[in-house]
Amino acid sequence: MNHTIKMLHNWLLLLLLLVFCHYHLHVQGSDQNERKPYIVYMGELPVARPYAVESHHHNMLETAIGNKQLARESKIYSYGKSFNGFAARLLPHEAEMLREEDSVVSVFPNTLRKLHTTRSWDFLGMPQNVKRNSNVESHIIVGVLDTGIWVDCPSFNDKGYGPPPRRWKGKCVTGANFTGCNNKVIGAKYFNLEDSNPASDNLSPADDMGHGTHTASTAAGAAVKDASLYGIGKGTARGGVPSARIAMYKVCWSVGCSDMDMLAGFDEAIADGVNFLSVSIGGPSRDFFSDPIAIGSFHAMTRGILTSCSAGNSGPRPMSVENSAPWILTVAASALDRQFTTLVAFGDGNNITGLSINTFSPEKKMYPLTSGLLAANNSGDGFGSASGCDYGTLRKDRVKGRIVYCVGGTGSQDLTIKELGGAGAIIGVEDPIDASYTTVIPGAYVEADTVGKIIDRYINSTKKNARAVIHKTTTAEVPAPYLASFSSRGPQVITPNILKPDLVAPGVDILAAYSKLATLTGYHEDNRYDVFNIISGTSMACPHAAATAAYVKSFHPDWTPAAIKSAIMTTATPLKIGDNLTELGSGSGQLDPVKALHPGLVYDIRVNSYIAFLCKSGFNSTNIGILIGSKNFSCSSMKTPPGSDGINYPSMHIQLFDSSSRISAVFHRTVTNVGSRNSTYKAKVTAPKGLSVKVIPNTLKFRQLHQKLSFKVVMKGPPMPKDTHILTASLEWNDSKHTVRSPILIFKPLY
């Protein structure tokens, strides 16, 4: 009897298992017959609504699938507010059955489409569903030194966020137009130590300019669907670490960012407990000890905080890079694979395409077209260029109601044309353009030497009957990434043997959150306000790097700032598109957040190593003592670091100040194994003909994690040819899983 019961019990278990497998295969699918998401589109909603939409969808699914419960489980979503349809997991034959229904317009597989919009993180290989360590990420605090923040933006909605991390010691200072923080923006302070800013500035953390709101949301903004600027750049806006918290330190005002305010911001941020600092501020290169950003970031580094800084917007001029201290992550700007373009149509049937963010749709088919020269007042009273449409050089009666073509000028031609009642501005610029800027009236920027000459000829050939219309901005795909023309180039002038910038990140046409206290253009005459804006600059690149560092930290909480910086640099992708100055401005290349999680090896640098580097670089003991707070410090107590640069940097660089000098350099490096316990790395060198680059030893064998091994790179070569100013090479350490790349750059001054 017991034996029979046991057999029946086993048969019952087998039957249940078969039913489960049958059900599981139908819902989840198998390799041979897999259920996949489909969209069943049924057009407009029924006017009379003779049935409940969701029930009708279920009945249709039940008929196609043949199982009521399975139909319910297979349905994903019902559309029923603006149009009719549903999404469901279907087998191919079920999809075909639904396609034949009279009420169905179409049935098609759900595919993942690229967003040609707010997509800088997607472009970096970091999609919204990327692997995250969200619990750790939510305890990371990104401090931002900038113009303040507008907390009411959707990007800073704190729905779903818990209380601030327990270690957080910061405060939320309220004031004019700023009522408080939340669980996303957990801290906000402002610093106006000189108390000399215009009355128009809010004495509070409120963002009067939009810049700080934009950078903060780029780093750690929450995901916002259907974000756009007047429909331009529509997509999901999000920061690189959307679960992280934000602390804003307002150190910049309408007059600029004072050194003492910035130092106060650093001082507070470090004490408050931030994990990272994003500082999109800069100025002419100065000695580290008179540079508030170098000083503040050094003290941050000693407490385990990595500072990301913008490289500057003075490109393509060589030796223009800013924020070049070796403990800073210096970030240049690259372009995405989409561009915002504006079509201009002319009365003769020809069209041209310019760059701009033009939110206006034309009210007429055509407008009269003139040029600054033809609209000149010829009074001699105005200073500036009439052809450039400079303020005070044009007659209102020759501008009103017209689109005006301006060549060159001071940069505010669109505002001048608006004040004179003009209908639009086409602005010819002399330098190559790759960024789109928002205009206060319908406008477009074109290259004066090419497109501009075509416009000029048309205006001058029609005897005052020229006509044009400027259409609203659209998007176009372009090859990318490439270095932005405005992005500052190296080499640096403070410590010549450190390659700066370190890397590049998206900084052209970035859509992110914006302050409702600032107009889109910053002009008081502009009446457009929005919670999103599209801006370009290395300021926009900087928070991409800060967020990437935070992302790496969320998986490697014990890594030092230098180790995180090394991981991002050695896994970056060299830029393939560029000119002969790209190498001076791109460092290790475009950062890759996902690859940076698994660098294999890291070049770590501790505080004492930075101090030894400063000693070797010629900074005197007294100044270094002031920096580290040791009156009795002496460089003689430090062992002089070996090699041409004296620091364990992830890149290698020398400058030849004598054009007749032979190339001779030695770089000593130590790498730490953070990949596989037992691993063997072999060196691969890529170098131009005539340059000898030897790696000693050329094989590194690791037997445990965190093991450190050292090597040296010896470079030798003849003097660089007269017309050659840059030589580039690279060193890659490879095992079966990782590629650890270091750029090598030799520079000979252009003079």
Side-chain angles (χ1 to χ4, degrees), residues 508-564:
V508 175
D509 298 343
I510 304 300
L511 188 145
Y514 203 62
S515 174
K516 275 290 190 82
L517 296 177
T519 67
L520 295 187
T521 57
Y523 296 139
H524 294 298
E525 296 82 358
D526 195 351
N527 60 5
R528 294 168 300 168
Y529 297 85
D530 205 336
V531 292
F532 292 99
N533 202 355
I534 299 169
I535 312 179
S536 297
T538 54
S539 285
M540 284 63 250
C542 171
H544 280 92
T548 298
Y551 179 63
V552 174
K553 179 84 170 179
S554 70
F555 287 87
H556 305 287
D558 58 333
W559 282 12
T560 66
I564 293 172

Side-chain angles (χ1 to χ4, degrees), residues 75 104 107 171 185 213 220 314 326 363 366 384 421 469 512 623 680 690 703 708:
K75 197 180 82 170
V104 172
V107 179
K171 294 180 179 179
V185 181
T213 301
S314 300
E363 296 178 357
M366 285 285 167
V469 62
N623 286 338
T680 299
R703 293 295 173 260
K708 298 178 183 291

Side-chain angles (χ1 to χ4, degrees), residues 105-325:
V105 177
S106 59
V107 179
F108 49 92
N110 178 60
T111 62
L112 297 176
R113 298 173 185 264
K114 288 185 178 181
L115 291 170
H116 297 150
T117 65
T118 309
R119 61 179 309 274
S120 55
W121 291 111
D122 295 274
F123 186 65
L124 291 173
M126 195 180 186
Q128 197 167 353
N129 62 349
V130 71
K131 179 183 178 182
R132 292 190 180 278
N133 197 348
S134 297
N135 185 46
V136 177
E137 185 178 301
S138 69
H139 285 79
I140 289 176
I141 305 165
V142 179
V144 183
L145 271 63
D146 216 299
T147 63
I149 195 165
W150 184 250
V151 179
D152 291 335
C153 286
S155 296
F156 306 129
N157 188 315
D158 68 346
K159 184 179 180 180
Y161 291 82
R166 291 182 180 179
R167 60 181 168 76
W168 173 242
K169 300 175 183 177
K171 294 180 179 179
C172 185
V173 178
T174 58
N177 283 307
F178 195 88
T179 57
C181 300
N182 57 25
N183 285 331
K184 178 62 177 177
V185 181
I186 61 173
K189 298 178 180 180
Y190 68 93
F191 304 90
N192 181 29
L193 303 185
E194 200 170 6
D195 196 24
S196 62
N197 294 312
S200 59
D201 287 347
N202 283 289
L203 290 178
S204 76
D207 187 1
D208 300 299
M209 302 165 69
H211 190 275
T213 301
H214 198 279
T215 57
S217 67
T218 300
V224 181
K225 293 182 179 179
D226 297 324
S228 72
L229 175 62
Y230 285 71
I232 301 170
K234 190 175 182 180
T236 299
R238 60 190 170 93
V241 278
S243 296
R245 317 304 177 100
I246 297 168
M248 174 56 69
Y249 300 86
K250 183 176 179 177
V251 299
C252 295
W253 307 81
S254 58
V255 296
C257 320
S258 76
D259 289 352
M260 54 184 175
D261 287 351
M262 284 192 287
L263 278 174
F266 272 108
D267 190 34
E268 293 276 340
I270 294 166
D272 286 346
V274 303
N275 299 103
F276 295 91
L277 281 165
S278 181
V279 184
S280 294
I281 306 168
S285 294
R286 286 188 279 175
D287 182 288
F288 295 151
F289 302 120
S290 61
D291 184 341
I293 297 177
I295 294 168
S297 58
F298 180 87
H299 290 288
M301 176 272 299
T302 63
R303 291 163 178 79
I305 303 166
L306 177 61
T307 302
S308 173
C309 289
S310 48
N313 296 338
S314 300
R317 178 168 54 88
M319 306 183 82
S320 57
V321 65
E322 303 166 12
N323 297 320
S324 57

Side-chain angles (χ1 to χ4, degrees), residues 310-391:
S310 48
N313 296 338
S314 300
R317 178 168 54 88
M319 306 183 82
S320 57
V321 65
E322 303 166 12
N323 297 320
S324 57
W327 47 84
I328 290 174
L329 178 57
T330 310
V331 192
S334 63
L336 302 176
D337 59 349
R338 66 105 199 264
Q339 212 170 42
F340 293 114
T341 60
T342 301
L343 179 70
V344 182
F346 296 99
D348 63 356
N350 289 320
N351 299 332
I352 61 98
T353 300
L355 296 183
S356 70
I357 307 295
N358 176 37
T359 66
F360 306 98
S361 296
E363 296 178 357
K364 300 179 181 179
K365 289 185 177 180
M366 285 285 167
Y367 297 81
L369 173 67
T370 188
S371 66
L373 275 178
L374 293 176
N377 58 26
N378 298 319
S379 66
D381 295 334
F383 295 94
S385 164
S387 64
C389 303
D390 289 340
Y391 181 80

Side-chain angles (χ1 to χ4, degrees), residues 446-624:
V446 300
E447 292 189 9
D449 288 341
T450 53
V451 176
K453 290 182 177 179
I454 297 172
I455 299 172
D456 242 342
R457 283 196 298 269
Y458 169 61
I459 293 173
N460 294 324
S461 67
T462 56
K463 296 181 180 180
K464 300 182 181 180
N465 291 319
R467 300 176 71 79
V469 62
I470 302 172
H471 292 277
K472 186 176 179 179
T473 294
T474 57
T475 59
E477 291 187 7
V478 293
Y482 57 88
L483 188 65
S485 59
F486 59 76
S487 190
S488 290
R489 269 61 166 176
Q492 62 151 311
V493 296
I494 305 299
T495 49
N497 287 342
I498 300 293
L499 182 62
K500 292 283 183 172
D502 291 309
L503 44 74
V504 300
V508 175
D509 298 343
I510 304 300
L511 188 145
Y514 203 62
S515 174
K516 275 290 190 82
L517 296 177
T519 67
L520 295 187
T521 57
Y523 296 139
H524 294 298
E525 296 82 358
D526 195 351
N527 60 5
R528 294 168 300 168
Y529 297 85
D530 205 336
V531 292
F532 292 99
N533 202 355
I534 299 169
I535 312 179
S536 297
T538 54
S539 285
M540 284 63 250
C542 171
H544 280 92
T548 298
Y551 179 63
V552 174
K553 179 84 170 179
S554 70
F555 287 87
H556 305 287
D558 58 333
W559 282 12
T560 66
I564 293 172
K565 177 178 172 180
S566 171
I568 300 171
M569 290 176 64
T570 60
T571 56
T573 305
L575 296 187
K576 296 179 181 179
I577 305 171
D579 55 27
N580 57 353
L581 293 179
T582 296
E583 290 90 347
L584 290 178
S586 57
S588 296
Q590 176 109 318
L591 56 76
D592 187 324
V594 175
K595 283 187 178 179
L597 294 180
H598 307 288
L601 306 173
V602 293
Y603 295 84
D604 204 0
I605 309 173
R606 304 288 171 148
V607 177
N608 283 345
S609 297
Y610 285 118
I611 295 170
F613 164 78
L614 292 174
C615 287
K616 183 182 176 71
S617 299
F619 292 89
N620 65 55
S621 297
T622 302
N623 286 338
I624 295 174

